[in-house]
Amino acid sequence: MESDEAIVVEHLSKEFRIPHDRKVTVYEHIVGLLKGGNYSYELFQALDDVSFTVRRGETFGVIGPNGSGKSTLLKILAGVLYPDSGRVRVNGKIAPFLELGVGFQPDLTAKENVFLYGSIMGLTRKEIGKRYDEILDFAELRRFENMKLKNFSSGMAVRLAFATAVQTDPDILLVDEVLAVGDEAFQRKCSEKIEEIRRQGKTIIIVSHALGTVQGLCERCMLLKGGRILSSGETGKVVEEYLRISAAGSGM
Amino acid sequence: MWLVDYRDLIWNLTISDLKVKYQSSVLGFAWSLLNPLLMMLVLYFVFMNVFRFEQENFALYLLIGLIAWRFLANGTMTAMGSIVGRPGLVTKLYIPRQILVMSSVLSSFISSILEFVVLIPLLFILGAKVTPNILFFPVVHGIYFLIVYGASLVLAAFFVYFRDLNQVWDVVMQAGFFLSPIVYPISIIPAAFLEYYMLNPMTVLIETYREFLLYGVTPSPASLLALLAVGAVMVAAGTLVFKRLERRFAEEI
């Protein structure tokens, strides 16, 4: 395995079954069976034979219209969803920023939540303890460390989450539009942090609708539509292609 | 090994579970101890005066049965919702999902240990035969943990797909409560059925607790080994089922 590859995806496919009549209880299954059992479903091909490689230290963008399979792809990379076929190889520690503050407990204090969330993101107790001051300073929440999280504003909670999450020191960062958090000043701080991580030679995969962000950060980029790769390569060209197909789409 | 790699997370989730449980009401912790005591008083009155069982030290007999049973009932019931109850930890990032079940069962386990600790002074007060055999507690309780964890893995995984499983399980637990020797002495079971009655692992387990806590007897190695085997099989089978069903958790939650 060449060591300059961070992520190798080969022939990845994922299909979702969308049942016409969704049954989520034992009761519904029994009633359904008595009535003759309608288990028909629609198939939705979220990803169709997707292959690509992301090199170590690269910032790679994934763009595409809604429902093109971007989030599905990210979730498979994160290990949340299992692919139907194909292979994913990941070299290094991966940190998914699909949503910030996953697992926060409103009834616990900010401090307790930092330790809880940190361990969810894969840090040990010791590591969190060492970085605890840095986390609070970055989030600018030192004064509120013993306040229960339910009394925090949503902006404060997100700041705390981002500050904790960036401490995980991953090799590969998966980012799903989470940069749009907090107020202007904090957003700038977040972008700077991401830029800093990038300069450290980490691999970043960004899924976004914001073409400006993608153009600003990514060297290479991939355009998904209907679960297939339409084009991939240098960001400028792929974004141009995207603008062309969305113009053609809305012109119809 | 996920148990080692994620030990801090498992511990943090367990502790935060307990904190939320006991902080939400001031009496939270006291209630969890008062509940079996009050139950014991009610049942003691009913079964002593109405049914007139001949069972030596019936109060402690009841109490040990109740506290032992509560770990299974509460442990499986809360652990069943451990996957569904934390959708973010399943759909937004990857952690081995059995961690959620493990930490839920662990927090019930700790609650259960506390209940047994409160029982100890009562053993002296109500005249149990306390001997060093009481030290068998960690061994037996550890085996019991395996049984509850194994069952919880299966329940939590199926609960993702069948959201009324808790209703079904509630009835199963009610039946199990009366199929195990908790509120009545084993002596009332007709000899013809006794052989089948003893096949219930909970019967063997509850009787084992009584042996070393109430009668000061050393538990028989045969029943300890049988229980350990049941626990090991349940964890193995539970893990197998869980791994199989886990693949579509994120789609179903």
Side-chain angles (χ1 to χ4, degrees):
Chain A
M1 202 181 295
E2 295 94 315
S3 61
D4 66 325
E5 289 168 341
I7 291 181
V8 182
V9 173
E10 286 165 339
H11 306 293
L12 199 66
S13 292
K14 177 74 190 174
E15 222 171 39
F16 289 112
R17 287 180 187 181
I18 304 158
H20 291 135
D21 181 17
R22 198 175 157 81
K23 301 180 183 65
V24 291
T25 64
V26 176
Y27 178 75
E28 283 167 353
H29 277 278
I30 293 171
V31 170
L33 272 178
L34 292 177
K35 282 184 178 166
N38 173 20
Y39 281 92
S40 61
Y41 51 79
E42 297 284 329
L43 281 179
F44 175 71
Q45 190 79 33
L47 288 176
D48 188 3
D49 196 20
V50 170
S51 304
F52 64 96
T53 303
V54 180
R55 288 189 298 271
R56 201 172 287 275
E58 187 174 39
T59 305
F60 188 82
V62 180
I63 55 175
N66 283 329
S68 59
K70 305 185 299 284
S71 297
T72 305
L73 176 63
L74 214 53
K75 283 188 172 176
I76 290 177
L77 291 182
V80 169
L81 289 175
Y82 285 80
D84 293 330
S85 61
R87 277 200 334 147
V88 175
R89 276 188 292 148
V90 177
N91 299 327
K93 186 177 156 195
I94 199 162
F97 283 23
L98 272 58
E99 189 178 299
L100 288 171
V102 173
F104 267 179
Q105 289 273 6
D107 278 319
L108 299 180
T109 66
K111 183 172 184 176
E112 289 164 335
N113 268 300
V114 165
F115 277 86
L116 178 61
Y117 186 50
S119 63
I120 288 170
M121 296 297 287
L123 289 170
T124 63
R125 233 182 146 64
K126 241 191 230 156
E127 287 171 324
I128 306 165
K130 241 188 283 170
R131 298 169 202 193
Y132 179 69
D133 289 321
E134 206 180 319
I135 291 170
L136 278 200
D137 289 339
F138 187 86
E140 299 162 20
L141 291 170
R142 166 69 69 189
R143 284 192 298 141
F144 305 105
E145 74 176 314
N146 290 317
M147 194 158 108
K148 283 193 176 175
L149 203 73
K150 63 182 170 195
N151 301 321
F152 272 40
S153 73
S154 56
M156 287 158 81
V158 164
R159 262 151 59 195
L160 191 67
F162 185 87
T164 311
V166 290
Q167 290 296 331
T168 48
D169 193 28
D171 304 313
I172 302 161
L173 205 62
L174 303 179
V175 187
D176 190 3
E177 323 241 17
V178 281
L179 298 179
V181 296
D183 57 11
E184 188 104 19
F186 193 72
Q187 268 187 45
R188 211 173 315 122
K189 217 166 150 180
C190 293
S191 305
E192 278 166 23
K193 192 77 195 177
I194 296 278
E195 186 58 38
E196 188 190 315
I197 293 171
R198 204 163 79 93
R199 274 198 307 270
Q200 286 167 6
K202 310 282 178 169
T203 313
I204 304 178
I205 297 188
I206 296 180
V207 166
S208 182
H209 283 291
L211 294 177
T213 315
V214 174
Q215 272 178 310
L217 286 171
C218 306
E219 297 100 37
R220 283 203 313 139
C221 184
M222 175 168 92
L223 171 58
L224 281 181
K225 197 185 177 212
R228 291 172 163 278
I229 301 178
L230 275 195
S231 80
S232 80
E234 194 222 320
T235 302
K237 280 190 190 139
V238 177
V239 168
E240 225 168 79
E241 169 85 8
Y242 181 40
L243 291 174
R244 207 167 49 72
I245 65 153
S246 39
S250 58
M252 278 201 293
Chain B
M1 181 64 180
W2 60 276
L3 265 179
V4 181
D5 293 344
Y6 288 90
R7 58 184 187 279
D8 285 339
L9 175 57
I10 294 170
W11 190 239
N12 278 342
L13 286 173
T14 306
I15 292 295
S16 73
D17 237 35
L18 286 169
K19 271 185 187 156
V20 170
K21 190 156 109 196
Y22 289 139
Q23 267 174 17
S24 50
S25 66
V26 183
L27 263 177
F29 180 61
W31 267 126
S32 77
L33 301 176
L34 276 174
N35 183 304
L37 282 175
L38 296 174
M39 270 291 270
M40 185 270 280
L41 284 177
V42 172
L43 292 168
Y44 184 77
F45 177 79
V46 171
F47 285 92
M48 250 348 224
N49 295 301
V50 182
F51 291 95
R52 298 178 189 285
F53 288 140
E54 301 273 326
Q55 174 70 44
E56 127 193 51
N57 215 334
F58 191 55
L60 278 178
Y61 181 91
L62 260 176
L63 201 53
I64 292 170
L66 282 174
I67 294 178
W69 178 260
R70 271 167 64 85
F71 177 38
L72 179 75
N74 295 350
T76 52
M77 221 42 179
T78 26
M80 190 187 298
S82 59
I83 301 290
V84 173
R86 288 180 179 266
L89 294 183
V90 177
T91 60
K92 300 298 179 188
L93 44 79
Y94 178 78
I95 50 170
R97 276 89 179 232
Q98 61 270 37
I99 285 176
L100 299 175
V101 181
M102 171 59 84
S103 57
S104 172
V105 175
L106 262 180
S107 84
S108 302
F109 186 63
I110 292 172
S111 298
S112 175
I113 291 174
L114 292 173
E115 291 172 17
F116 272 107
V117 167
V118 172
L119 177 73
I120 291 175
L122 290 174
L123 291 178
F124 287 99
I125 296 167
L126 295 174
K129 206 170 161 212
V130 183
T131 63
N133 279 323
I134 203 170
L135 295 174
F136 271 99
F137 177 73
V139 178
V140 177
H141 219 45
I143 294 173
Y144 193 9
F145 177 85
L146 296 180
I147 294 174
V148 176
Y149 175 61
S152 297
L153 280 176
V154 176
L155 290 167
F158 273 108
F159 190 52
V160 174
Y161 301 93
F162 302 101
R163 298 299 171 88
D164 55 354
L165 187 62
N166 53 350
Q167 308 289 339
V168 179
W169 188 245
D170 199 30
V171 176
V172 173
M173 285 286 95
Q174 294 278 349
F177 184 82
F178 289 104
L179 285 173
S180 310
I182 299 167
V183 292
Y184 54 81
I186 293 192
S187 55
I188 69 162
I189 303 293
F193 298 126
L194 199 58
E195 201 180 322
Y196 304 103
Y197 185 79
M198 292 307 288
L199 286 177
N200 175 3
M202 286 310 292
T203 300
V204 181
L205 192 61
I206 291 170
E207 279 302 288
T208 305
Y209 278 106
R210 288 187 182 130
E211 276 173 359
F212 66 81
L213 288 175
L214 183 55
Y215 309 127
V217 177
T218 311
S220 82
S223 55
L224 282 185
L225 278 177
L227 286 171
L228 183 63
V230 169
V233 167
M234 285 186 74
V235 170
T239 305
L240 218 65
V241 171
F242 192 85
K243 284 280 160 206
R244 191 90 194 85
L245 295 177
E246 180 198 32
R247 292 175 158 257
R248 281 178 53 233
F249 276 0
E251 295 167 44
E252 292 289 334
I253 283 182

